[in-house]
Amino acid sequence: MSESRTAPVKAVDEQRAGADDLPAAASSASPTWWVWLAAWPVTAVFILSNAATPLYVLWQRDIGFSKGTLTVIFAFYIVGLIGSLLVCGVVSDRLGRKPVLLPALGLALAACVIFATATGVAALIVARLFTGIAVGAVVSAGMAAVTDVAGQNRKRLAALLASCAMVFGAGLGPLLAGVLSETAPAPTVTVFLVEMVLLATAVLAVLRMPVRRPTAPAKGAWIRVPGVPRGSGLHLALGIAVFAPGITATSFVLSLGPSLLSGLLGTTSRIVAGAMAFAMFLAATGVQFAVQRLRRRTILTAGAISTTLSMVTLIVAVHTSSVPVLIASALLAGAGQGMGQLGGLSLLNSTIAPQRLAEANAALNVGGYIPAGVLPVSAGYLSDAIGLTDGATVFGVVLMSLAVIGGLVVVASRRRVPEPA
């Protein structure tokens, strides 16, 4: 075997050899139910991440702002998230999962209070910023905590549950908000009171979570662009190549989906908007259970294909004013994100030792969320300028091209580097 092919294997061995420096309680084989419960804080925070989606039509009516401003509010979530990812992955690997997760849950609770009392765009921006910071913490420290609790022998289960916790929560949030805002009094208040109760249960789960603080000495800067150890760069790149277009597609549906529904269906029903988002992320959850036993690169290739088809159907939907085709586009977008996320997390879990795993998770999400913030915002302003149909078309063509490129990168990598065990 050539040196270029054995180098990644050596790097992985060195990383695993250092894993003993991190005495996570997971290594003592925690019960399986704890692996599931460890994923609950991820779900609870991601419920908040999209709970505001069906409510924006109410705030637009009461406060008054354009689709462009709406995407800016959404983008501040991305700003908070990426800023959090630059810190939380490294801090979690050095100080432990709980010192990162507990403050994040506190910020999420604060975001709920601000959302419930918001009377202007500035308040919505601050609430979204706090939400993004909390989400950045759970996608790095929270997902790594699930792997810690699962232990070495259940890494595939850990990747599956961490990924599904994220997408299921992201879908449950808008459905819960849509139903409560249509059926309960004080629609922009009740939703966040319920979410505060859910977050409180997540705090209890983190306090009891069987993980310990690391003992490995700190190396490098505390605030830095997250990365992965030598030998794992290709696996990170493959995950980003598919995950980034997938999550950008779902971000577009979340930010401008209600506007598309209003234009195509003539409805501002918050239940309909929430149900479409829930169906999208339910597809993202279900597809991961369906493909979990496939090879990781096969999962990634399928994810790229799904995102490509999602953009094709989006373009058809806006030009034919077809709601069923728009829903099909959302379902395909969810499946694309789900498979890209699962494939990326599984590759990282299989090659990176616990003391760098939260940082690696952060790196994957930085690569995904940057385009997920930039492209939908651009599409929002473009739609204000040239119309929603043409703006969505341009977005669809650009993202479809990125998804195709991502799929080709994954296919090409099969011939050069064998898949990790």
Side-chain angles (χ1 to χ4, degrees), residues 65-83:
F65 50 84
S66 67
K67 291 188 288 293
T69 301
L70 173 59
T71 54
V72 169
I73 294 171
F74 185 85
F76 266 88
Y77 163 81
I78 305 294
V79 171
L81 188 151
I82 292 176

Side-chain angles (χ1 to χ4, degrees), residues 130 176 178 383:
F130 282 6
L176 182 67
S383 297

Side-chain angles (χ1 to χ4, degrees), residues 236-386:
L236 174 63
L238 294 179
I240 292 174
V242 180
F243 174 54
I247 197 170
T248 303
T250 58
S251 295
F252 176 84
V253 173
L254 287 171
S255 59
L256 292 178
S259 298
L260 286 171
L261 279 174
S262 177
L264 297 178
L265 193 60
T267 180
T268 57
S269 170
R270 296 182 293 279
I271 294 179
V272 172
M276 185 174 74
F278 177 72
M280 177 173 69
F281 286 111
L282 187 63
T285 304
V287 75
Q288 292 183 66
F289 280 95
V291 304
Q292 60 174 307
R293 297 188 182 279
L294 299 178
R295 292 175 61 84
R296 298 175 182 93
R297 283 182 174 81
T298 301
I299 294 173
L300 288 171
T301 303
I305 293 172
S306 185
T307 302
T308 300
L309 293 176
S310 170
M311 292 301 98
V312 172
T313 52
L314 172 66
I315 294 170
V316 172
V318 297
H319 282 277
T320 61
S321 298
S322 172
V323 174
V325 178
L326 178 63
I327 293 173
S329 174
L331 295 178
L332 287 166
Q337 178 188 332
M339 287 187 282
Q341 186 172 292
L342 176 62
L345 285 174
S346 296
L347 282 174
L348 296 180
N349 273 6
S350 66
T351 58
I352 296 177
Q355 67 264 29
R356 293 290 302 275
L357 187 57
E359 183 182 355
N361 289 343
L364 175 67
N365 282 277
V366 166
Y369 275 105
I370 287 177
V374 172
L375 292 180
V377 168
S378 301
Y381 276 107
L382 187 63
S383 297
D384 283 337
I386 65 176

Side-chain angles (χ1 to χ4, degrees), residues 190-264:
T190 306
V191 171
F192 297 105
L193 290 177
V194 172
E195 170 61 6
M196 289 176 73
V197 174
L198 299 179
L199 289 169
T201 64
V203 170
L204 295 176
V206 171
L207 289 172
R208 300 291 297 169
M209 191 178 294
V211 291
R212 301 175 192 158
R213 297 183 65 171
T215 58
K219 297 179 181 179
W222 285 77
I223 300 175
R224 64 184 188 228
V225 176
V228 294
R230 180 178 297 179
S232 299
L234 176 62
H235 299 141
L236 174 63
L238 294 179
I240 292 174
V242 180
F243 174 54
I247 197 170
T248 303
T250 58
S251 295
F252 176 84
V253 173
L254 287 171
S255 59
L256 292 178
S259 298
L260 286 171
L261 279 174
S262 177
L264 297 178

Side-chain angles (χ1 to χ4, degrees), residues 38-47 101 138-139 142-143 146 161-162 165-166 169 202:
W40 170 240
V42 179
T43 300
V45 172
F46 268 92
I47 289 174
L101 290 175
V138 300
V139 298
M143 290 182 165
V146 178
L161 293 184
M166 174 179 167

